[in-house]
Amino acid sequence: MSERPRLLPILGQTGHSGRSAMTCQFRCGNACDHPVPNESDNPYFGDVVKAEVTRRGVVRAGAVGALVLGFAGAAATQAAPALAAPGDAAPDLDALTYSRPSGALTFKPIPPNRLDTFVVPNGYDHSVVIRWGDEVVPGAPDFDLDNQTAAAQSKQFGYNNDFLAVLPLDKHGERALLVVNHEYTNENLMFPGFTTLDALSVEQLKVAIAAHGLSVVELERAGRTGEWVPVRKGSRRYNRRLTALATKFDFTGPAAGSAWLKTAADPRGTTAIGTLNNCAGGVTPWGTTLHGEENFNQYFVGGDGAPAADKPKLARYGISTTVRYTADSRKWDRADERFDLTKHPNEANRFGWIVELDPFDPDSRPRKHTALGRFKHEGANVIVAKSGHVVAYMGDDERFDYLYKFVSDKKFMKGNSWVARKHNLTLLESGTLYVAKLDYTSAAEIDGTGKLPTDGAFNGTGRWIKLVQGNKSYVDGMTAADVLTFTRLAGDAVGATKMDRPEDVEPSLLTGKVYVALTNNTNRGVGTNPKADEANPRNANKHGHILELVEDKGENAAETFTWSVPIVCGDPTDASTYFAGYDKTKVSPISCPDNVAFDGAGNLWISTDGNALGSNDGLFATAIEGPERGHLKQFLTVPFGAETCGPFITTDNRSVFVAVQHPGEITGASVENPASTWPDGDYAKPGVVVTWRLDGKSVGS
Ligand code: FEO
Ligand code: CA
Ligand code: CA
């Protein structure tokens, strides 16, 4: 392209929280401007019970029995991993034992800032691994901003990277597979001369559709550092783009082939085209990746013309049933009529699932697992329970929606034989789906200000309420296929607890404890909406909080648990914040926790989305066991207008990956008038960044 002028960042309207109005429109279809989709009157103020909080303590390393994909050169206590050589069709998954939590994270926290650059602590470096438009499929055309085609985008790195995973590909820790979600597009920032979505050509709409999906990219270590770069020569047989335009996904589980999934193009209801709005995800103990389909509602129009009986179901998922187009409609029906629910009312039912991808088998067809239910899936993270069953934890990212878990029917098979691998690939196809109901210890004391109760904690007990087991429904008036396809309605029926936007839900593989990012909920306690409760303790919750869940007897397949809120986010000088009792003068301000991850020492890393304190979004870390619990420090910030996604810390603790999503996404910005010129100094491009310590040592600690 010809050189474009570099302009100073422009400032635009803000949407909810600290997000720009443009992010609200393109990322989630202005979800916060629409009525809360959960109009159920199920109780949000549970029985007041006295809970004895499980005494905290580090569970014996390895006790949770999960296998962890690891890198060579990891901490001394880790067993040397034997990993598949490039060209093998399967990862070798020898068990790795994490080192014990080391306590202090030694990096010096960086200050909040509004810079249009990527900021890391002193003593660290970073580089862009891959950005929108870069080659993924060998032979992809060079990116041409002014002449984008769907065919080219289908071979190039997609837009707005979110979840990422880095999976070892060789036994020396020199090769790895990068797996990435491309959550959504922003056509304002993709196409020069953009005016309106209506003015885009059909080909441009198809570019946007192709820019959604997933990428798999072979990486190699740069020198002996923690830096990684894409492999640019050779076969790169694992490199792969999966798109919303053309990739086929098979349905598995009890709802596969049900009437709800049948369409004119797929009368058997077994195969969908594409995946949409893939937000967070996880890595399974058998080496596959999971990808949540989140705000899929915004891609569909014509809900007003859908059959009357379907309308309440569509509305519960945020799809308008009164007008054909809403202000945030994507207009994809102009490119493909399957996005028109008047013509194809079941098409929306084919999105909102958890997708499993086997990146080590480049010819495999990805699957949508109906046994894990259908909602606005943020992601899913799996642990092997003591019983041997695998447990997936999941959040439905909407104000006042629910927390779920899935327990497999079959048990995890150790090792990496062909038999074990084939078996483990079926684990998410059948099992039990539960929704969480929380009870409280201090219900009467919760006044919505965030003031700690006299027992010193926001805490309580909880139950996993069974919704469906195999093909048997536990919800009156709903079949198993009904429950799995309209899981939100099932949660309403059983009185699940309404949470403040449950985003990432991730178990620590070291302790088995589960961490839930509750990003915010400015509607909490406003108008007729539910008031603060002990698990969501602030009204008009702008900054969010973290919930810690401890399954009874340390058994992740259990049906009862205890919970507490170790972190209530915000500016530490704000009396409503809480950092596990740690000295707040030593804590970094944090707002809107979104994705969580663990490093090889079991520390909790938290990335943010929509910082309502006025700073750029960033990545933070804290110990969660021992005396340093709650000592939260900011590790990095992403450029202006961006959100910090990923994150992923390699198990050798030498590399921290994040996805920089929607840089420069500020209302009024365009390609010609960018609010961010990251990463190349011209216009804004989403991209994946790796950060490492200059002295080659372990990141953070
Ligand atoms: Fe895509 Fe829930 O954030
Ligand atoms: Ca309490
Ligand atoms: Ca997210």
Side-chain angles (χ1 to χ4, degrees), residues 398-446:
E398 184 98 51
R399 294 162 297 164
F400 304 109
D401 259 295
Y402 310 134
L403 197 57
Y404 296 87
K405 87 169 176 184
F406 166 87
V407 180
S408 66
D409 283 340
K410 297 183 203 165
K411 292 185 179 179
F412 177 70
M413 194 179 286
K414 287 186 182 173
N416 198 31
S417 66
W418 184 85
V419 171
R421 186 161 174 73
K422 198 164 158 42
H423 169 84
N424 291 333
L425 284 167
T426 68
L427 290 173
L428 302 182
E429 295 184 352
S430 64
T432 305
L433 183 65
Y434 297 93
V435 69
K437 180 167 173 55
L438 309 188
D439 296 316
Y440 312 114
T441 57
S442 313
E445 292 182 55
I446 304 303

Side-chain angles (χ1 to χ4, degrees), residues 106-128 226 588 605 616-620 633-639 644 654-660 678 688-695 699-700:
T106 55
F107 68 86
K108 190 163 181 277
I110 64 159
N113 67 77
R114 295 274 278 171
L115 300 172
D116 186 30
T117 186
F118 193 95
V119 180
V120 297
N122 285 334
Y124 290 77
D125 202 353
H126 76 280
S127 67
V128 177
S588 295
W605 294 65
N616 288 355
D617 275 318
L619 179 65
F620 302 75
K633 298 195 291 186
Q634 179 148 22
F635 182 71
L636 60 79
T637 49
V638 293
T644 318
R654 292 176 64 198
S655 313
V656 175
F657 286 82
V658 295
V660 176
W678 188 89
V688 172
V689 175
V690 60
T691 299
W692 67 95
R693 197 161 138 169
L694 288 168
D695 62 10
V699 168

Side-chain angles (χ1 to χ4, degrees), residues 433 435 465-469 472-480 482-484 486-495:
L433 183 65
V435 69
I465 302 175
K466 195 182 286 185
L467 297 177
V468 66
Q469 183 166 25
K472 181 172 166 45
S473 168
Y474 284 79
V475 182
D476 286 346
M478 297 179 86
T479 66
D482 293 346
V483 169
L484 295 173
F486 305 106
T487 310
R488 282 184 165 184
L489 294 164
D492 297 344
V494 302

Side-chain angles (χ1 to χ4, degrees), residues 244-451:
L245 190 66
T247 308
K248 288 183 174 162
F249 291 74
D250 283 341
F251 288 108
T252 78
S258 77
W260 297 120
L261 299 186
K262 292 178 179 173
T263 62
D266 177 28
R268 293 171 61 224
T270 54
T271 307
I273 303 294
T275 185
L276 289 174
N277 212 264
N278 298 100
C279 193
V283 178
T284 67
W286 51 97
T288 62
T289 50
L290 302 180
H291 311 262
E293 294 187 313
E294 195 188 30
N295 292 296
F296 63 88
N297 55 308
Q298 61 181 305
Y299 302 94
F300 293 93
V301 305
D304 58 326
D310 290 355
K311 287 188 175 179
K313 298 183 182 72
L314 294 172
R316 184 64 179 84
Y317 283 81
I319 294 172
S320 173
T321 56
T322 55
V323 295
R324 177 169 176 78
Y325 295 106
T326 61
D328 32 74
S329 292
R330 297 230 158 207
K331 310 289 173 72
W332 283 10
D333 54 311
R334 290 205 289 118
D336 187 340
E337 69 168 41
R338 73 188 168 108
F339 295 107
D340 182 348
L341 297 171
T342 302
K343 293 177 178 161
H344 303 284
N346 278 350
E347 187 65 22
N349 298 341
R350 292 146 66 83
F351 297 88
W353 302 100
I354 289 292
V355 168
E356 182 175 13
L357 172 71
D358 182 358
F360 293 94
D361 181 357
D363 303 317
S364 62
R365 189 179 283 188
R367 293 167 295 156
K368 297 192 182 191
H369 291 305
T370 69
L372 279 66
R374 175 174 167 268
F375 38 92
K376 290 190 180 179
H377 272 291
E378 173 74 14
N381 285 282
V382 172
I383 187 168
V384 180
K386 284 179 177 170
S387 65
H389 299 92
V390 303
V391 180
Y393 291 93
M394 303 174 284
D396 183 350
D397 181 7
E398 184 98 51
R399 294 162 297 164
F400 304 109
D401 259 295
Y402 310 134
L403 197 57
Y404 296 87
K405 87 169 176 184
F406 166 87
V407 180
S408 66
D409 283 340
K410 297 183 203 165
K411 292 185 179 179
F412 177 70
M413 194 179 286
K414 287 186 182 173
N416 198 31
S417 66
W418 184 85
V419 171
R421 186 161 174 73
K422 198 164 158 42
H423 169 84
N424 291 333
L425 284 167
T426 68
L427 290 173
L428 302 182
E429 295 184 352
S430 64
T432 305
L433 183 65
Y434 297 93
V435 69
K437 180 167 173 55
L438 309 188
D439 296 316
Y440 312 114
T441 57
S442 313
E445 292 182 55
I446 304 303
D447 62 6
T449 65
K451 184 164 168 258

Side-chain angles (χ1 to χ4, degrees), residues 21 38 51 116 147 201 203 240 244 259 278 311 354 494 603 665 675:
N38 189 355
D116 186 30
N147 298 289
S201 68
E203 182 65 19
R240 189 173 180 189
N278 298 100
K311 287 188 175 179
I354 289 292
V494 302
N603 296 306
E665 189 167 67

Side-chain angles (χ1 to χ4, degrees), residues 19 27 162-163 183 278-281 294 377-379 397 501-504 519 593-595 607-609 643-646 661:
R19 251 191 207 173
R27 209 269 291 287
D162 197 310
F163 166 76
E183 186 180 21
N278 298 100
C279 193
E294 195 188 30
H377 272 291
E378 173 74 14
D397 181 7
R501 292 188 55 199
E503 297 241 31
D504 224 355
T519 202
D594 184 339
N595 298 123
S607 64
T608 65
D609 166 19
E643 166 183 348
T644 318
C645 296
Q661 196 191 54

